[in-house]
């Protein structure tokens, strides 16, 4: 930090130092030698005061200086001039060397400048190509950004679809588990149902066997009854034929008696007896015909009942075969973790 105050002695030392160095003690040079301290106005004032004091001191000293001192001063002045000339010559030599070095450096710099210019030209060409490449790259980047935006939108859609798919998968797994539980329940219920149906089938088979035996016995009984009815029908038919024969004979006798009894009471009584006999035979014949009709009707009913019993027996046999096939198809599923394939 610069000080706020500068002393005259400091200004004098700085000025004398500049003079010894061969530098013009200007205001700026003195201030620089002071370390850029103090204001220029103060330094200028102090330098004027020093000059005034030195002039005054020189005038006072000039009056009392002896010839010896003047000679000494002359020698010092000559020595100072000689040293100054040597200093100047050395400075000139150094300056010439510096000028030559500067010229060489300028030549080198000129060459370097031309090389730099060529390099700049090449770099400019490269820069133009790079700019074109950059423009193409920026265009490609913009297109890629567009593609990326589209891909991001597609990715978002795929993520939504994935979420929906996962939710659907969870729902399907839940439904699959429910179906598996339902299948297990169905298997258990089916097993119980098959056991119940097996027991019912055994009972039904036993009942059908009992009914079949009953039907077989009934058929045998009906066959016996049918044979009996056939014999009775043959007997009744033979009796009816015999009664028809007797009726025809009675009618012929009646006609003959009527012809013979035309003039006699005995014949009339015989005719009446014959008429009663004919009436009785006719009544018997009608009764036999009714009995034969009833026998035919009973025979037809028995034959129909026998046919029904046979049909029922065959139906029972068919139902038994159907139940057997159903039981064969209702074999238990294999006890595995998966449902039977259809």
């Amino acid at each position: 930090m610069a000080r706020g105050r500068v002393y005259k002695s400091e200004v004098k030392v700085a000025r004398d130092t500049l003079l010894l160095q061969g530098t013009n003690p200007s205001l700026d040079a003195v201030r620089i030698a002071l370390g850029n301290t103090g204001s220029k106005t103060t330094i200028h004032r102090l330098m004027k005061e020093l000059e005034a004091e030195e002039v005054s001191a020189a005038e006072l000293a000039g009056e009392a200086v002896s010839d010896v001192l003047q000679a000494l001063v002359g020698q010092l002045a000559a020595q100072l001039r000689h040293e100054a000339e040597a200093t100047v010559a050395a400075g000139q030599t150094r300056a010439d060397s510096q000028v030559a070095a500067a010229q060489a450096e300028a030549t080198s710099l000129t060459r370097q400048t031309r090389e730099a210019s060529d390099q700049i030209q090449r770099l400019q060409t490269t820069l133009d190509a790079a700019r074109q490449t950059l423009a193409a790259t920026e265009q490609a980047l913009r297109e890629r950004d567009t593609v990326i935006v589209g891909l991001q939108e597609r990715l978002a859609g795929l993520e939504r679809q994935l979420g929906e798919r996962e939710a659907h998968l969870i729902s399907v797994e839940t439904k699959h588990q429910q179906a598996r539980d339902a299948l297990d329940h169905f298997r258990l219920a089916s097993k119980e149902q098959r056991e119940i149906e097996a027991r019912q089938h055994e009972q039904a088979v036993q009942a059908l066997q009992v009914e079949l035996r009953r039907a077989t016995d009934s058929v045998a009984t009906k066959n016996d009854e049918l044979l009996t009815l056939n014999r009775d029908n043959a007997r009744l038919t033979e009796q009816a034929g015999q009664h028809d024969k007797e009726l025809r004979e009675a009618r012929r006798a009646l006609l003959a008696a009527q012809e013979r009894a035309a003039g006699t009471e005995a014949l009339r009584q015989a005719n009446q007896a014959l008429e009663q006999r004919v009436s009785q035979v006719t009544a018997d014949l009608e009764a036999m015909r009714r009995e034969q009709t009833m026998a035919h009707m009973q025979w037809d009913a028995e034959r129909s009942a026998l046919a029904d019993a046979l049909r029922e027996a065959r139906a029972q046999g068919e139902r038994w075969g159907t139940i057997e096939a159903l039981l064969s198809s209702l074999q238990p599923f294999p006890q595995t973790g998966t449902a039977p394939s259809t």
Side-chain angles (χ1 to χ4, degrees), residues 4 28 32-33 50 52 56 67 69 94 100 104 111 135 193 196 201-202 212 214 220 224 235 250 282 313 341:
D28 293 331
I32 291 172
L50 288 171
S56 298
D67 294 336
L69 290 176
R94 288 194 303 273
R111 185 177 61 257
Q193 183 66 27
I196 293 173
H201 172 68
E202 291 177 357
L212 183 61
R214 290 178 180 176
D224 294 338
R235 180 178 57 79
T282 302
S341 59

Side-chain angles (χ1 to χ4, degrees), residues 291-303:
E291 185 177 358
Q292 185 179 10
T293 301
M294 292 296 295
H296 277 291
M297 292 176 63
Q298 186 177 3
W299 183 76
D300 291 335
E302 292 294 334
R303 186 173 60 183

Side-chain angles (χ1 to χ4, degrees), residues 190-204:
S190 298
K191 183 178 180 181
E192 295 177 354
Q193 183 66 27
R194 286 194 299 272
E195 292 176 355
I196 293 173
E197 289 178 354
R199 290 193 297 270
Q200 291 178 352
H201 172 68
E202 291 177 357
Q203 295 175 359

Side-chain angles (χ1 to χ4, degrees), residues 2 25 63 77 79 91 210 314 330 336:
E63 294 178 355
Q79 187 179 356
V210 173
R314 284 195 294 271
L330 290 177
T336 59

Side-chain angles (χ1 to χ4, degrees), residues 283-327:
D284 293 338
L285 182 61
E286 291 295 331
M288 291 178 65
R289 285 178 177 175
R290 286 194 298 270
E291 185 177 358
Q292 185 179 10
T293 301
M294 292 296 295
H296 277 291
M297 292 176 63
Q298 186 177 3
W299 183 76
D300 291 335
E302 292 294 334
R303 186 173 60 183
S304 177
L306 179 60
D308 292 339
L310 291 174
R311 284 195 299 272
E312 181 66 23
R314 284 195 294 271
Q316 292 289 344
E318 290 176 358
R319 286 198 296 271
W320 189 23
T322 302
I323 292 173
E324 290 288 345
L326 181 60
L327 287 176

